Amino acid sequence: MLSVSFSDHNNGAAAGLDAALLKTTDGGNSWSDYLTGSFFDYLNVPFLGVQSINESTITCVGYTGTILRTTNGGADWQSQQSGVNIPLGAVQFLDELNGYCVGDLGLILHTTNGGSSWLTQYNPTNLPLYALKFIDLQNGIAVGGSGIILQTSNGGVDWTPRSSGTSISLLGIDWS
């Protein structure tokens, strides 16, 4: 698994290679496959990021600009149009409507309607971005290749590069 997200102590999702998307309802003691049925037979793309917003709403992202979302606990999944054909590495929703995802070539996407449409935000770098974290609708950080750190204080309208002091790729963020 490449990404794990819990919406509470019991409900979580994990995403990974070969279109793996798993769920737990008992705090991770047992896991089952979300993806069953013909919709996923052709998909077979790695999922790189997942976020469990609540026990019903989960969004995952992956290669070729793939974005999938369920609002009924995984009974049905909808493919969302990212508008890109490059890997998306991470996704974060602040609530059921407002979300962001990042990917290769410095891509930052933003939605205000639960992913019905995604808009590209300007980013001053073309380095791949692997993780992002917003603490509210205005303040966020994205990290990625060659030690890049980008910060926004206006909801992603502007992203400012910050020095990490390293050229090693940054893969995650813990911002409490």
Side-chain angles (χ1 to χ4, degrees), residues 3-63:
S3 180
V4 177
S5 174
F6 278 79
S7 60
D8 57 42
H9 291 295
N10 291 316
N11 296 287
L17 302 176
D18 299 323
L21 188 56
L22 305 177
K23 67 177 175 179
T24 183
T25 58
D26 61 8
N29 290 318
S30 63
W31 294 84
S32 60
D33 195 349
Y34 263 124
L35 306 182
T36 58
S38 61
F39 177 76
F40 299 102
D41 291 344
Y42 77 94
L43 199 52
N44 201 26
V45 297
F47 292 122
L48 303 174
V50 65
Q51 187 188 15
S52 180
I53 300 165
N54 55 48
E55 65 185 66
S56 299
T57 306
I58 297 99
T59 301
C60 63
V61 297
Y63 273 68

Side-chain angles (χ1 to χ4, degrees), residues 22 30 32 64-65 101 143 154 172:
L22 305 177
S30 63
S32 60
T64 65
C101 62
V143 299
N154 58 11

Side-chain angles (χ1 to χ4, degrees), residues 143-161:
V143 299
S146 299
I148 188 70
I149 297 174
L150 299 174
Q151 184 176 11
T152 184
S153 59
N154 58 11
V157 173
D158 299 298
W159 290 88
T160 304

Side-chain angles (χ1 to χ4, degrees), residues 4-173:
V4 177
S5 174
F6 278 79
S7 60
D8 57 42
H9 291 295
N10 291 316
N11 296 287
L17 302 176
D18 299 323
L21 188 56
L22 305 177
K23 67 177 175 179
T24 183
T25 58
D26 61 8
N29 290 318
S30 63
W31 294 84
S32 60
D33 195 349
Y34 263 124
L35 306 182
T36 58
S38 61
F39 177 76
F40 299 102
D41 291 344
Y42 77 94
L43 199 52
N44 201 26
V45 297
F47 292 122
L48 303 174
V50 65
Q51 187 188 15
S52 180
I53 300 165
N54 55 48
E55 65 185 66
S56 299
T57 306
I58 297 99
T59 301
C60 63
V61 297
Y63 273 68
T64 65
T66 301
I67 303 175
L68 296 179
R69 183 175 173 103
T70 183
T71 56
N72 60 10
D76 299 299
W77 290 85
Q78 296 77 41
S79 179
Q80 296 184 335
Q81 299 301 310
S82 67
V84 299
N85 193 27
I86 60 174
L88 300 174
V91 61
Q92 183 191 2
F93 273 81
L94 297 159
D95 54 41
E96 289 191 26
L97 297 177
N98 295 285
Y100 295 84
C101 62
V102 294
D104 279 7
L105 304 175
L107 180 69
I108 302 172
L109 298 176
H110 178 226
T111 183
T112 58
N113 56 20
S116 294
S117 61
W118 291 87
L119 300 173
T120 302
Q121 293 193 313
Y122 172 74
N123 170 0
T125 181
N126 64 355
L127 293 168
L129 297 172
Y130 301 126
L132 77 155
K133 178 70 176 178
F134 275 77
I135 58 169
D136 57 37
L137 289 172
Q138 298 299 310
N139 297 287
I141 291 179
V143 299
S146 299
I148 188 70
I149 297 174
L150 299 174
Q151 184 176 11
T152 184
S153 59
N154 58 11
V157 173
D158 299 298
W159 290 88
T160 304
R162 302 291 185 207
S163 175
S164 68
T166 184
S167 61
I168 297 171
S169 292
L170 303 173
L171 303 176
I173 302 169

